[in-house]
Amino acid sequence: MTAEIVLARVSLTKPWLGAEETEALAEVVASGLIGQGPKVKEFEAGFSARQEVRHAIATSSCTAALHLALVAAGIGPGDDVVVPSLSHIATANSVTYVGARPVFCDVDPATGDITAETIRAALTLDTRAVIVVDHCGMPVDLDPIRELCDRHEITVIEDAGSAVGSLYKGRPVGTDADMTVWSFHSDKVVTTGEGGMLTIHRADWAARARTLREHSRGPSPTDGQGSVQPRQDVSLEIGFNYCMTDLQAAVGTVQLGRLAQVVARRREIAGMYVAGLAGLKGLRLVVDPPYGTTNFQSFWVEVQPCFATSREGLLSRLADAGISATCGTMATHRQPAYRWRETGHARLQHTDRLTDSSLILPLFHELDTVSIHRIINTIQTAGGGSAP
Ligand SMILES: *Cc1c(COP(=O)(O)O)cnc(C)c1O
């Protein structure tokens, strides 16, 4: 047997957690108040301040926040909601949950984001809302979308599930949508294991979403646990159980405090990829648009037909080298769950192409320089370029 250097496997993503999270969790456990309580309130307050929005409602997931947003906006059967097909399937599912019809629209070929033009092509007489998505963290160009939607009295919901820490014209994404949803899933830039947030401008929608979160129990269900007030168990309408726990929120507050540092490191790693891969024929890299900066939730590349190998070929070369990579976001209209549904959409040219040609490379806070160079060298070799 020949001696071989076994290189550690490079994972695709890994949450950055440390002693501070452990301490915060221990404190909550010791307090005995592990449900939705003071830590959730603290996390909501910290999040709304940081994201420059009035109301923040913590939820069990981003999917739950999407569902609450649509219910709060009064979207239901007979309504059409424009959504990009190139997104997490939760975006379209939330529309289906409320009995409305998701109408898929295409995306910009460079950013992978929905635009005013692609939305316009998907409008119907029944369009009541649009869910815009910051694809893989890339800020959506919201101003022209707002203008279009305001003209037609269409509610704008932003699915910033991947975009905490991304900026649009210097401000956090989501500040100008009617409602914005966020994800703290374990793969996201800020994580609570599972978890989400709904941020809202309108006070009446926020109040309704807050009660809907916990079985529509009014009037102040949030301080049930630690409060001496008897709980009022009156449900005003059919609600949900979409609560976050104090265990999660305590971790979330620690994570939020590190957001700037995490985004800076992600952008630094992305910069190393760009420096190492730019100029490789047939590999298109994603860069910041002129109107904003991405958090690089995912570093995706487009493998064009003129690249030396196919997307699948490159994926297996990376796998052979012990590097985890994956296909890019899959178009929702091509998922078995949606393929036979009537979703009234036109041709989704760029969505189809990006589904077939994009690939996501490892990117996480603790990804080390040696691994980054190993990934770059593997791609260089597969692409027929010389390793630097
Ligand atoms: C991650 C993500 C979701 C789903 O978030 P959960 O918290 O897992 O429900 C939805 N939309 C986008 C854009 C996402 O990135």
Side-chain angles (χ1 to χ4, degrees), residues 6-357:
V6 181
L7 293 167
R9 202 171 168 82
V10 181
S11 56
L12 186 63
T13 160
K14 183 170 166 260
W16 188 38
L17 300 161
E20 274 185 82
E21 280 85 350
T22 309
E23 275 166 38
L25 269 174
E27 190 196 312
V28 175
V29 171
S31 79
L33 300 175
I34 58 168
Q36 180 183 266
K39 292 293 177 190
V40 167
K41 276 192 176 161
E42 186 190 340
F43 186 37
E44 290 175 341
F47 195 82
S48 59
R50 204 187 183 289
Q51 299 305 125
E52 301 176 21
V53 286
R54 263 183 227 122
H55 309 282
I57 298 145
T59 55
S60 51
S61 68
C62 178
T63 307
L66 275 166
H67 190 185
L68 285 183
L70 288 162
V71 175
I75 308 297
D79 296 333
D80 280 351
V81 179
V82 177
V83 297
S85 171
L86 194 74
S87 182
H88 192 294
I89 197 166
T91 312
N93 282 355
S94 64
V95 178
T96 310
Y97 295 163
V98 299
R101 180 175 75 148
V103 177
F104 294 120
C105 71
D106 210 359
V107 292
D108 178 83
T111 60
D113 276 348
I114 183 169
T115 67
E117 286 68 44
T118 66
I119 292 169
R120 193 178 289 115
L123 293 180
T124 69
L125 289 174
D126 296 319
T127 307
R128 294 267 325 278
V130 172
I131 305 179
V132 303
V133 177
D134 306 288
H135 181 245
C136 294
M138 182 62 69
V140 77
D141 190 7
L142 198 70
D143 286 352
I145 294 173
R146 267 254 70 118
E147 196 187 273
L148 171 73
C149 291
D150 287 350
R151 215 179 319 130
H152 296 279
E153 294 181 24
I154 293 169
T155 300
V156 179
I157 299 169
E158 185 159 346
D159 183 349
S162 288
V164 66
S166 298
L167 301 177
Y168 178 59
K169 298 187 176 171
R171 295 177 67 206
V173 295
T175 45
D176 288 326
D178 295 302
M179 292 188 262
T180 302
V181 297
W182 311 84
S183 175
F184 309 123
H185 178 272
S186 53
D187 286 345
K188 306 298 166 114
V189 172
V190 165
T191 185
T192 59
E194 292 279 1
M197 192 76 80
L198 170 58
T199 52
I200 305 187
H201 280 294
R202 276 177 59 164
D204 55 340
W205 284 1
R208 180 138 179 258
R210 204 174 277 286
T211 48
L212 280 167
R213 169 176 66 176
E214 199 180 3
H215 303 295
S216 292
R217 281 186 190 130
S220 62
T222 47
D223 42 25
Q225 254 199 341
S227 172
V228 291
Q229 300 298 323
R231 183 187 202 111
Q232 198 180 335
D233 238 352
V234 178
S235 285
L236 306 170
E237 61 178 316
I238 292 172
F240 311 95
N241 178 1
Y242 284 163
C243 298
M244 178 182 275
T245 67
D246 269 21
L247 292 165
Q248 294 164 302
V251 172
T253 295
V254 174
Q255 290 262 306
L256 199 59
R258 294 210 192 109
L259 178 57
Q261 198 188 342
V262 173
V263 170
R265 175 62 185 149
R266 296 185 87 97
R267 291 181 56 80
E268 186 183 16
I269 295 169
M272 291 170 78
Y273 274 138
V274 171
L277 298 172
L280 201 57
K281 190 166 176 273
L283 198 71
R284 187 175 69 81
L285 311 174
V286 176
V287 294
D288 286 330
Y291 47 78
T293 54
T294 169
N295 63 357
F296 283 107
Q297 164 66 56
S298 301
F299 189 89
W300 62 274
V301 300
E302 182 184 342
V303 184
Q304 295 172 324
C306 59
F307 191 69
T309 168
S310 65
R311 189 242 331 240
E312 277 62 30
L314 181 54
L315 276 171
S316 63
R317 292 287 283 274
L318 287 162
D320 290 347
I323 297 158
S324 304
T326 185
C327 294
T329 310
M330 176 162 171
T332 306
H333 74 279
R334 282 165 51 175
Q335 294 283 2
Y338 279 93
R339 206 177 289 151
W340 310 113
R341 280 182 176 263
E342 199 287 294
T343 48
H345 63 83
R347 213 172 136 235
L348 304 172
Q349 182 191 350
H350 301 304
T351 302
D352 280 326
R353 205 195 57 256
L354 291 174
T355 291
D356 293 331
S357 66

